[in-house]
Structure formats: structure tokens, C-alpha cells
Amino acid sequence: MSDRARDIDTLYRQRPRSRFLRGSGWLAAGLVAAGWLGGGFLGDPGWTPRRAENLTRFLGEVVPYPLQGEPWDWTVAVGWAREIWNERLAAATLETLAISVLAILLAGMLGGLLAPWATRSFARPDPFVPDPRPAGPARRAAWNLLVVVVRVVLALLRAIPEYVWAFLLLALFGPTAWPLVLALALHNAGILGKLTADMVENLERSTLAALRGLGAGRGAVALAGIVPLSMNRFLLYLFYRWETCVREATVLGMLGMVSLGYWIRDARARNHYDEMVLAMLCGATLVIVGDLVSAMLRELVRRA
Amino acid sequence: MGAEHAVTVRGRGPLAIRPAVALVLVLAGAWSVWALELAPSALWPGREGLVLAGEFFGRALSPSLTREGVDIPAGTPPLLLTALRAAALTVAFAAAAMLPSVIGGLLLGLGASSAWWSADRDRGRSGRVTWTSRVRVAVGPAVSACCRLLAAALRSVHELLWAVLFLAALGITPLAAVAAIALPYAGTLAKVFGEMIDEAPRPAAGALRELGAAPVVVLAFGLLPRALPDMTAYALYRFECGLRSAAVLGFFGFPTLGYYIAASFENLYYGEVWTYLYVLLALVAAVDWWSGRVRERLVA
């Protein structure tokens, strides 16, 4: 074996290896395999005559109503779409946007208020500067407990999908827009709260320690130190989550309230698939516009 | 040092505490409240709502371990077995959907990235211009734009809306659920994978290319290894999202956790609802923990 071959061999043997990662790879492969084998997907009957018939019927009904069975005519199609847009979809699109905006603002407030109490460097007897007289074990345990409780609450908020939140809140508030707004706000508050808490834990300590060392209380350190240091990144998270809010706001309406989702469900119930697809296209356009606006806003924040 | 200092003085602090930005945010909130005709008084749920909330949240700490209700038909499986089966199916849907999503996301993401053509474009002067590199430079930007557009279109339609479309077109089948999750997820993965490949450090790829390696080799050994840790971590995060999506698909008739959450809630069996919610919570928390450990080892 030449020297070079031996070197390569040695390097190969010394490559970083982790049993955990290897196990994770096998676990992931196993989950996918088990999913395909055990989920009943392979027993799918495939292309049956009934499905072909179903698909043909569907494709026939997706064509705008005045054009079904007629030759295609753009002016008629545009006129049909404009009429439905003016009648209900324009208002519904704006409502969808409003739901997402209000939801992300509420989520930001709730997440921002909860985040400091989930931050280990802040929620402790001696934030940022070690106390020469260490606090008693009872006080330290109380602060630790607070951090754990707030983190569990945040995990609970984000683990429950928006749709489930909206479903539960609908029973509580009745059919106004509040269940949708609150569902989005709660789920995203869980995400924003955790992201913000992790970010504050990783902030550079020197400024905060200096403030604390000058005798600032917890509130003053938060307002004069943490808020200015972390706000730009918080805004980045906010706009990034707003994109998903726009996406979800459409769908939540399918529970039977305002927003585009209401008209999607309504058209689906009446088997008017042409209107259903039109409403979905409005939603998709809103999502794409939202993505572009959010990307612009994030670029603005990054430059600031 | 001096320049840095000057910038700090000239900039007026973080964007978010500037009055103009705060004003815009407040105005946006006010507009939404007005557009939705929301009365803050509607936030008070009323007597019935309060009773319901009390009953529902009262069961949070005492989820059911056996079925609620009086006439339980013989042969109904025990609650915990149903919950476990629904959980297994939720995982199966999410895991099965990850395979096409990751493959589609990789292909679309590679297409969307500029990694496979920008080097050829920048290196016109170094002399080694072959006809394949000319083709790449000529079609690269257009292909990337098309891939980006396709990815944006796929993810702009929510997985539940894809599900509604598939249900209307094909009827209820588990494969429809997998496709409904896989299509928008492939779009999202393509966007993120493409950005990660573009942002990965390029020196190794450049060195390989200078040695005359074929583009496929440059990609496989120069670019992908640098982006792979981030991509793996993100794919795991999408799996966690997939679990939530699969659970919610239950509301549309697939027998995942959402199906049972809706059914039990409508029967007013709140204890059962909490059982299913806690099972979903455990699933999400487990994947969250797993992806956190993997990320620690891969990315750090």
C-alpha cells in the first residue's frame, strides 16, 4: 500500500462518527418504510373506472359554469370570475389578510410577553450579574419552576395545530372571526415565544450585565437592554411567521366562518367546483403576494 | 473601528422601536379589527361558552383512559388502543409523505439554486469553456426561475386545500392524503434546500471544478456535503410539521388523530379529546426532541 493510500485509509478511519446520528438515519429510514408498508397506501386500488369517471366529472365541473359544455371563451370566463370576485371573494380575500395581520400582532404580543419568563438568563434570582450573596435554594427553585412552566405552556401552544385550536375555540366564541384570529395567535405565540426566548438566551451579555451592574431592575434591563438588542431579530421572526398565518387563515375559514375558506367550503358543499377552485386561486395569489411582501420587509429589517 | 462607531451613531437604533414602524404596526392592527368588524365584547364568550370552557378545560388534568358514553357497542376497541392506532397512522401519513417531498424538494431545489450554472458564467475568462457549460449558462437562469415558480405555486396551496381537491377529484383514499401533504411540502423544501445549497461555502466545489471534475461530482462531493447538515435538520422540522398536518387531515375523514378529536368533541366526550390531544403532543414533543439532538450534533 502506498503512503497516500494509507493516509486516505487513516483519514477514512478517523472520520467523525456518531452512533446517535447513525441510529437516527436508520430510524428515519425505518419510519418511512413502515409508513409506506403499514399506512395502507400500497393496497390502493390504483386507477379504477370509478375514479376515472369521478375525475372526468370533476374536471368538467371545474370549468366556469357559463362555459360548461360550451367552447372556451376568455371574455365569458373573465366576466364570470369578475362577478364572483366583486360579489364575495374580494371581501373574503381582504378578511383573510386582516385575520392574518391581527393574529400575528396578537401572537407577537403574547409571545413577546411570555418569552422573558422562558429565558433562563433572565428569569433567575440574579439575572446577568452573579449576586455576591447567592439567593436561597427556595428562590432559585421558584424561578426554575417558572421557566419550566412557561416553556411547557409555549410547547403546548405550538404543538396543537391551528386548525384544532380554531375548532375548539369556535365552540367557545361562536361564529365570529375571533376563533380564527385567536387560534392563529395562540399557535404562533408558542413558536415566537420559544424562538425569542432562545434568542435572548444567546444575546451578548455585556450590555445587559453593565445595565444590571449599574443597579437596573429587571424591568429596566428588559426595556433598555433586551428589547433594543433583540427587536430586529424578533421582527424577522414575526414576518416569517406572518407568511404561514396568511396560508393558514384561508384554511381555517373552512370551519365555517369568514375568510376565503368559508366560500371554499360553501362551494364544495354545493358541488360548484368552479367557484371552489377560483376561491383557492385567490388564496394562492394572496399567499404569494404575502411571501413577496414579507421577503421585502425582512430585507428592510436586515439592512436596518 | 471608527467606521463602525459612525454607523452606530448614524443609525437610530433598532427598527422596531422607531415610532414610524410602531405606528405602521398599530395601524395594521386597527385596520384588521375594522375590516373584520370585530367587537372586543365578542371576546367575552357568554354564559354558555363559559360553561363549555369550564367543562372542557376542567378535563385537561383528567384525560379519559376508557371510553366515555353509556351505550358502547360490543366489539369497540378500548380508547387507548384507538388512540395508539390513530397515532401510528398519523406517523405513517407524515413519514410516507416525507419520501416524495424530500425527493421532489431536492430535485426542484437543485434546479432552483444557481449552484449548477453560476460558476460557469463567472469563469468565462479562464478558458475552459465547453459546449455543455455554454448550455448551462444559457438555460440556467431560466430553469432556476421556472423551478422557483413551480415551488412557489406548490406551496401557495395549503395541504388541506390539496386534500379537498384530491377528495373532490378522486374520492377518499390514503394516497390522496400523502399526495396532499407531499405537494406543498416539496415546494417548501425546494425553496429552503435551494437557498441552503446557494449559501453553502463554495471553495471545495471550486477546487473540484478546477481539477476537472464532472458537474455531478462537483455537486455530490463539493456542494451537497456542505449543505447537508442544514438540509437534514430542516427536513426533520418538516417531519414535525407533517405530523400536525396529518393529524389535521383527520378532520377531512382520514382516520388520523384529528378524526377522533373532532368526533369526541362533537359527542361532548371532553376527556377523550384531551387523551388524543396529549397523544399528539407526545408525538410532536418526541420529534422536536429528536430533531433538536440531531441538529446539535450536525450543525454545531
Side-chain angles (χ1 to χ4, degrees):
Chain A
M1 204 192 264
S2 71
D3 277 354
R4 182 189 287 184
R6 205 172 300 123
D7 283 348
I8 291 176
D9 193 52
T10 319
L11 278 175
Y12 181 73
R13 280 172 204 285
Q14 288 171 348
R15 72 193 188 280
R17 277 195 285 188
S18 150
R19 200 170 284 174
F20 181 82
L21 286 181
R22 188 175 296 188
S24 293
W26 283 111
L27 178 61
L31 276 176
V32 170
W36 276 102
L37 295 175
F41 311 115
L42 300 176
D44 193 85
W47 198 242
T48 59
R50 198 160 148 249
R51 270 193 201 166
E53 194 187 313
N54 217 341
L55 185 66
T56 323
R57 186 183 50 82
F58 174 77
L59 290 179
E61 285 170 9
V62 165
V63 176
Y65 180 67
L67 287 172
Q68 283 175 13
E70 307 273 327
W72 182 259
D73 182 348
W74 277 108
T75 46
V76 178
V78 171
W80 165 84
R82 185 173 292 160
E83 193 181 316
I84 297 177
W85 168 261
N86 287 336
E87 198 179 299
R88 42 184 187 263
L89 292 189
T93 306
L94 276 185
E95 278 166 5
T96 309
L97 179 68
I99 288 169
S100 69
V101 170
L102 189 58
I104 199 61
L105 290 176
L106 289 179
M109 283 187 225
L110 185 59
L113 283 178
L114 284 177
W117 313 109
T119 307
R120 276 181 194 90
S121 53
F122 180 79
R124 55 185 296 153
D126 49 351
F128 306 114
V129 177
D131 201 322
R133 290 163 299 150
R139 274 185 68 206
R140 257 180 300 163
W143 280 108
N144 274 340
L145 184 69
L146 178 71
V147 170
V148 170
V149 167
V150 174
R151 285 212 171 235
V152 166
V153 168
L154 290 173
L156 203 98
L157 287 175
R158 69 176 183 274
I160 297 182
E162 302 92 327
Y163 199 85
V164 176
W165 272 123
F167 175 78
L168 299 175
L169 291 170
L170 175 64
L172 189 56
F173 291 105
T176 66
W178 277 122
L180 274 69
V181 172
L182 291 180
L184 285 174
L186 288 177
H187 179 78
N188 284 292
I191 295 174
L192 287 173
K194 180 194 188 261
L195 288 175
T196 312
D198 290 350
M199 184 230 315
V200 174
E201 275 178 9
N202 291 328
L203 281 181
E204 230 221 299
R205 294 281 180 85
S206 50
T207 315
L208 305 171
L211 276 171
R212 183 70 182 165
L214 285 170
R218 237 185 222 95
V221 172
L223 282 177
I226 294 176
V227 167
L229 280 177
S230 60
M231 258 307 182
N232 274 7
R233 236 169 308 165
F234 179 73
L235 273 188
L236 286 183
Y237 292 148
L238 199 75
F239 293 135
Y240 149 69
R241 285 313 300 180
W242 175 64
E243 286 173 33
T244 57
C245 278
V246 177
R247 258 182 117 242
E248 296 286 339
T250 304
V251 166
L252 295 189
M254 283 202 288
L255 285 165
M257 292 159 282
V258 288
S259 98
L260 284 166
Y262 175 81
W263 295 109
I264 291 173
R265 190 178 90 148
D266 180 66
R268 184 187 173 208
R270 289 183 286 124
N271 278 341
H272 289 185
Y273 292 127
D274 48 349
E275 290 183 35
M276 183 178 94
V277 171
L278 185 67
M280 285 184 184
L281 284 178
C282 291
T285 314
L286 184 64
V287 168
I288 291 180
V289 172
D291 278 11
L292 290 176
V293 172
S294 161
M296 268 161 40
L297 289 172
R298 280 183 287 154
E299 194 51 44
L300 210 74
V301 175
R302 264 195 214 105
R303 285 213 200 120
Chain B
M1 269 310 280
E4 259 171 59
H5 190 65
V7 168
T8 335
V9 173
R10 192 152 49 86
R12 285 169 299 165
L15 197 61
I17 40 183
R18 288 186 201 167
V21 179
L23 189 69
V24 168
L25 290 180
V26 169
L27 283 180
W31 170 78
S32 347
V33 172
W34 173 80
L36 293 170
E37 297 170 10
L38 280 179
S41 61
L43 264 182
W44 181 248
R47 189 181 296 272
E48 277 170 47
L50 279 183
V51 169
L52 187 141
E55 282 173 8
F56 178 70
F57 287 104
R59 293 303 302 268
L61 292 179
S62 57
S64 294
L65 297 175
T66 54
R67 285 191 182 276
E68 295 176 45
V70 272
D71 315 318
I72 300 160
T76 315
L79 177 70
L80 291 183
L81 191 63
T82 308
L84 275 184
R85 263 192 212 148
L89 208 59
T90 308
V91 176
F93 276 33
M98 282 318 282
L99 186 67
S101 327
V102 169
I103 294 175
L106 260 179
L107 292 177
L108 262 183
L110 278 174
S113 84
S114 62
W116 55 277
W117 51 267
S118 68
D120 292 312
R121 187 195 52 196
D122 302 339
R123 217 194 26 173
R125 56 189 151 72
S126 80
R128 282 214 336 241
V129 178
T130 58
W131 68 272
T132 46
S133 74
R134 260 193 212 141
V135 170
R136 277 201 296 275
V137 175
V139 301
V143 172
S144 285
C146 287
C147 287
R148 265 183 215 149
L149 218 65
L150 180 58
L154 283 175
R155 67 172 189 279
S156 71
V157 176
H158 194 279
E159 52 270 18
L160 291 184
L161 297 183
W162 280 117
V164 168
L165 278 176
F166 283 125
L167 287 180
L170 296 174
I172 190 158
T173 138
L175 220 46
V178 169
I181 299 179
L183 285 175
Y185 277 42
T188 312
L189 286 170
K191 176 184 180 237
V192 175
F193 283 177
E195 285 168 2
M196 283 173 175
I197 294 172
D198 275 342
E199 282 162 16
R202 296 270 177 98
L208 278 175
R209 202 177 287 111
E210 292 307 317
L211 288 169
V216 179
V217 176
V218 174
L219 191 71
F221 296 99
L223 275 177
L224 275 184
R226 306 302 300 266
L228 216 51
D230 280 327
M231 286 160 68
T232 312
Y234 188 74
L236 266 179
Y237 166 68
R238 285 318 295 186
F239 177 54
E240 186 196 320
C241 298
L243 283 179
R244 277 191 288 261
S245 296
V248 169
L249 277 174
F251 283 81
F252 292 75
F254 299 99
T256 56
L257 281 165
Y259 179 85
Y260 296 100
I261 290 175
S264 294
F265 191 82
E266 271 153 14
N267 285 325
L268 311 181
Y269 298 159
Y270 298 136
E272 292 187 10
V273 175
W274 281 105
T275 311
Y276 295 124
L277 282 179
Y278 283 132
V279 170
L280 176 61
L281 220 73
L283 284 184
V284 172
V287 175
D288 188 35
W289 178 86
W290 182 32
S291 70
R293 296 293 87 75
V294 169
R295 177 184 288 273
E296 252 169 36
R297 285 173 171 75
L298 274 178
V299 181

